[in-house]
Amino acid sequence: MAQSMIDSALSNFSQQAKQAGGLPEAVGKAFAEGKATIDNGQVVTVGSFVRKDVFLCIVTADYGLLMVKDGSASSTTFPPKPAYILPGSSDYEACLIEAAKLEDASTLNTYSEIVLEVAKYRTTARVKSYNAALSILPQPYFPIVFSEDQIKGNDLLQMLYTEQNKLIVSRDNSRSLIFTVPFESDIQDKPRDLSLYSALMDYAKGHNKKLAWNMVDDRTFNNVIEYKLAPIFKGAESDLSLLMA
């Protein structure tokens, strides 16, 4: 649709919205942006809220339904004859506030990732969690995220860990290592060929440092990388020179 036609349609919708019983102006904008549809005779937009029992649900971009229950986000089915709470309606702001409270009580961004306005009502900063086995930190931080257990007795890794804490909000190693950072952080997918060995080499080159064997204890990592680290730090001068800028 040409922009002039969209603007004209929005203008007409805006005028109709001012009439008693008219749909909110925000709904017209959603239609213009392809973010609204008709469901069984009812208007529904991406970001509409729906009550299902005691749970606050939100309509997703593919017109699914998400809810937060017991601190976890999950998809769910629509209730029979759902009563959609549309953007711009009288009850919508109350839903934004409730959604913000649910996010504040967890590390989730279930609602604000769909409707950014939710973030305005939060009392805590938005954060996001990642699996350390699948994700790495951006520069200038050392990319591979360590757990507290992995750095014990190792000055180098403790230093890198402390630097990482300038970005990382929390770490949870109860199962797999999960780290949490501010929502806007540029966290990247971990390359399949990235190892602690190669990351340390890149770090040494980039920071004019020479790594000594006693700075990296392969036993900290249950010997998983011993076969790669041992030749580097046990007297192979040609390899050691690679670690110096």
Side-chain angles (χ1 to χ4, degrees):
M1 185 184 294
Q3 186 60 46
S4 60
M5 295 178 66
I6 293 175
D7 292 341
S8 177
L10 286 175
S11 177
N12 291 335
F13 200 100
S14 178
Q15 292 301 317
Q16 295 172 15
K18 297 175 182 177
Q19 300 174 8
L23 288 170
E25 185 176 350
V27 175
K29 184 178 180 182
F31 269 110
E33 295 174 347
K35 297 180 179 179
T37 188
I38 304 296
D39 176 45
N40 292 324
Q42 290 193 85
V43 174
V44 56
T45 71
V46 174
S48 293
F49 289 99
V50 178
R51 296 282 181 187
K52 185 176 182 181
D53 298 325
V54 298
F55 301 106
L56 180 68
C57 308
I58 190 168
V59 178
T60 65
D62 58 357
Y63 299 105
L65 201 62
L66 282 178
M67 70 178 186
V68 172
K69 180 180 179 181
D70 299 328
S72 298
S74 60
S75 57
T76 186
T77 57
F78 283 83
K81 298 180 179 180
Y84 296 112
I85 303 170
L86 300 173
S89 64
S90 58
D91 294 330
Y92 196 75
E93 184 177 26
C95 291
L96 294 175
I97 294 171
E98 183 178 345
K101 289 180 179 178
L102 289 168
E103 288 193 353
D104 280 334
S106 68
T107 59
L108 301 175
N109 304 289
T110 305
Y111 303 102
S112 58
E113 286 186 345
I114 299 172
V115 179
L116 185 58
E117 193 177 357
V118 170
K120 297 179 181 178
Y121 296 90
R122 290 191 53 166
T123 59
T124 61
R126 285 206 302 167
V127 295
K128 191 168 183 177
S129 297
Y130 298 86
N131 189 321
L134 304 175
S135 307
I136 59 173
L137 301 182
Q139 293 183 351
Y141 305 100
F142 188 75
I144 297 176
V145 177
F146 305 113
S147 69
E148 189 172 0
D149 289 340
Q150 288 174 318
I151 66 168
K152 289 179 179 178
N154 189 301
D155 293 342
L156 171 61
L157 300 189
Q158 287 176 353
M159 179 193 72
L160 298 176
Y161 181 95
T162 300
E163 287 294 315
Q164 290 177 340
N165 282 344
K166 294 178 180 178
L167 179 66
I168 295 176
V169 176
S170 64
R171 308 178 199 225
D172 181 0
N173 197 31
S174 55
R175 294 183 180 178
S176 56
L177 177 56
I178 303 298
F179 65 95
T180 302
V181 294
F183 184 80
E184 297 79 9
S185 303
D186 184 24
I187 302 303
Q188 302 155 20
D189 292 338
K190 185 177 182 180
R192 295 184 64 180
D193 60 349
L194 180 67
S195 64
L196 178 63
Y197 162 82
S198 60
L200 284 171
M201 288 186 68
D202 289 341
Y203 175 84
K205 293 177 193 176
H207 292 79
N208 295 324
K209 291 184 180 293
K210 179 178 179 179
L211 299 181
W213 171 247
N214 62 3
M215 296 176 72
V216 178
D217 181 359
D218 57 278
R219 290 170 297 178
T220 304
F221 295 87
N222 298 318
N223 296 321
V224 171
I225 58 170
E226 181 178 8
Y227 72 101
K228 280 192 172 182
L229 286 183
I232 298 300
F233 299 109
K234 288 185 176 176
E237 293 298 331
S238 59
D239 284 334
L240 280 173
S241 65
L242 293 176
L243 300 177
M244 302 177 63

